[in-house]
Amino acid sequence: MHVIVVGAGIIGLTTAWYLRRLGAGVTVIDPAPARGASHAAAGMLAPAAEVVWGQTSLYPLLRTAAEMHPEFAAEVAGAADAELGLTDTGTLVCAGDRADLQALSELRDAQTGAGFSTELITGTRARELEPSLSPSVAGAVRIPEDQSIDPRRVTSALLSVFASELISQHVSGLVREGGATVGVELADGRRMSADQVVLAAGSAANTIAGAPQLPVREVWGDVLRLRAPAERTPLLRGTVRGLVNGRSVYVVARPDGQLVLGASSREDGRSGTDAGAVHRLLSDGQRLVPGILDCEITEITTRARPGSPDDLPLVGRIDDGCIVSTGYFRHGILLAPLGGRVGAELAIGRRPDWLPPGALDSVSPQRFETPADLPVLSTT
């Protein structure tokens, strides 16, 4: 079987990885491999910290994906002879003031109800764990099982694995016969046939002629990369997330001393970097970690994350020759091994029975009001 994967972000590349493991031949097509949302991502593998009210269908997906990551990362690192920056230092979710601490305490109830192990600690205890935290931190939720990974290292490793199967081109359309996808057309006019096509191109999937219009929106975010002065490295031991006046902020420490500060969230359609968002990130970040303002800004990245109406991914078959895998919003890095394996198994005709009960239906593209050109297909 030959499968074309459209999109070489973290989802497309992990789909290609699992397809190869299942014995399929793979071609990956993307005009700018690994330069989209994956390039900006911080890489938090933090299912408990990602719990928000009203998204109970997402929790088992996050937990399952987190359990998959160590094996997935080890196998990719071995295949590419690369270090992926996987750490297991946990997460501290900090409160900027007493009102934020109350909100964190209520959120912890949801985390506990979802079965995650967390601990509410004092600001003093939080500073014992992370001495660079501000004295004004009112308290924190400690999540010891959380991990993080460097998405750029992961995508670089996967790109090296698929170097000979990668085509740096834009896919302009799907080639269809009898209502089924049988290949793709490239921007230069070439046509390529395939037994199956997997659309993993984020929100750009809606720009491909012949593909159904999916309910995917662009959620823009600005992310800063910083480096602390040598005398203050490492500034943090692990990941610090927090609420500051009700706004979310995070600082992820890389093993090499780099810090990733993010992330704003806006749906204004502007692809440029938002000055106000950068200012708020620096202001909120320094409220939790004052040493942020002593750091050098090495990069500011703005990218769009593909989000669905309910913030769950869209993964499933849209015709007899095409699978879609998009809409991962801010969970793309964490969900990558799960989404990649599901998309690969569906493409070769295998039902992913290892998923939690009901999970496949919860991510089905047919769960929303169905456009006329998106057929309602069985998940069996």
Side-chain angles (χ1 to χ4, degrees):
M1 175 179 285
H2 175 229
V3 182
I4 289 176
V5 177
V6 181
I10 190 71
I11 299 302
L13 290 170
T14 53
T15 303
W17 171 263
Y18 282 104
L19 280 165
R20 176 179 283 184
R21 286 171 57 85
L22 292 167
V26 183
T27 300
V28 183
I29 307 176
D30 193 310
R35 298 297 297 178
S38 304
H39 186 69
M44 293 173 287
L45 309 180
E50 292 292 344
V51 168
V52 297
W53 297 104
Q55 292 189 347
T56 55
S57 295
L58 184 61
Y59 306 158
L61 300 177
L62 298 177
R63 184 194 302 277
T64 302
E67 293 170 350
M68 297 173 70
H69 258 280
E71 181 179 1
F72 165 74
E75 291 176 347
V76 172
D81 190 22
E83 169 58 50
L84 305 186
L86 182 66
T87 65
D88 58 358
T89 51
T91 301
L92 284 179
V93 187
C94 301
D97 57 26
R98 290 290 176 183
D100 292 323
L101 182 59
Q102 178 61 36
L104 279 186
S105 180
E106 294 171 358
L107 182 58
R108 181 176 177 256
D109 292 339
Q111 294 168 335
T112 302
F116 292 106
S117 176
T118 64
E119 178 187 6
L120 186 63
I121 61 176
T122 65
T124 300
R125 174 57 179 151
R127 284 184 289 276
E128 290 175 356
L129 297 171
E130 288 285 4
S132 293
L133 287 177
S134 168
S136 66
V137 167
V141 173
R142 181 176 178 236
I143 310 174
E145 297 178 359
D146 279 357
Q147 299 178 304
S148 67
I149 201 167
D150 188 337
R152 293 184 180 181
R153 294 191 182 193
V154 177
T155 55
S156 178
L158 288 168
L159 285 172
S160 71
V161 170
F162 291 100
S164 62
E165 292 92 1
L166 179 66
I167 297 176
S168 296
Q169 270 273 354
H170 174 68
V171 172
S172 59
L174 298 182
V175 178
R176 307 184 76 192
E177 294 179 1
T181 300
V182 295
V184 301
E185 182 170 348
L186 305 184
D188 63 7
R190 283 183 293 164
R191 287 192 171 193
M192 299 183 63
S193 61
D195 298 297
Q196 293 284 307
V197 173
V198 178
L199 289 180
S203 57
N206 282 337
T207 68
I208 297 174
Q213 289 296 297
L214 300 166
V216 178
R217 70 192 196 280
E218 291 185 330
V219 185
W220 292 89
D222 309 287
V223 180
L224 284 71
R225 280 170 168 77
L226 310 101
R227 188 170 299 281
E231 66 274 12
R232 300 202 63 180
T233 300
L235 185 62
L236 294 173
R237 298 169 181 169
T239 298
V240 169
R241 302 174 69 137
L243 287 178
V244 176
N245 296 329
R247 295 186 298 268
S248 296
V249 66
Y250 63 71
V251 187
V252 180
R254 294 273 188 258
D256 63 0
Q258 186 184 67
L259 301 169
V260 184
L261 171 65
S264 60
S265 183
R266 52 191 173 80
E267 300 184 40
D268 54 13
R270 294 187 297 135
S271 60
T273 299
D274 186 87
V278 172
H279 177 268
R280 285 188 294 274
L281 287 173
L282 289 168
S283 177
D284 292 349
Q286 69 88 27
R287 279 278 301 274
L288 301 180
V289 185
I292 285 289
L293 296 188
D294 296 324
C295 293
E296 172 191 0
I297 298 177
T298 60
E299 181 183 320
I300 300 177
T301 309
T302 301
R303 293 292 190 274
R305 296 156 289 190
S308 72
D310 59 5
D311 293 339
L312 270 75
L314 297 158
V315 189
R317 183 168 293 283
I318 57 174
D319 68 42
D320 288 342
C322 190
I323 302 292
V324 65
S325 186
T326 186
Y328 288 80
F329 190 29
R330 65 175 184 268
H331 309 298
I333 305 303
L334 172 54
L335 290 176
L338 182 145
R341 182 176 169 186
V342 170
E345 291 185 352
L346 291 176
I348 68 165
R350 178 183 298 180
R351 183 177 176 84
D353 292 326
W354 50 273
L355 282 173
L360 197 57
D361 288 333
S362 74
V363 299
S364 168
Q366 285 79 31
R367 69 185 183 272
F368 303 111
E369 184 176 353
T370 307
D373 60 346
L374 182 59
V376 177
L377 300 174
S378 170
T379 58
T380 58

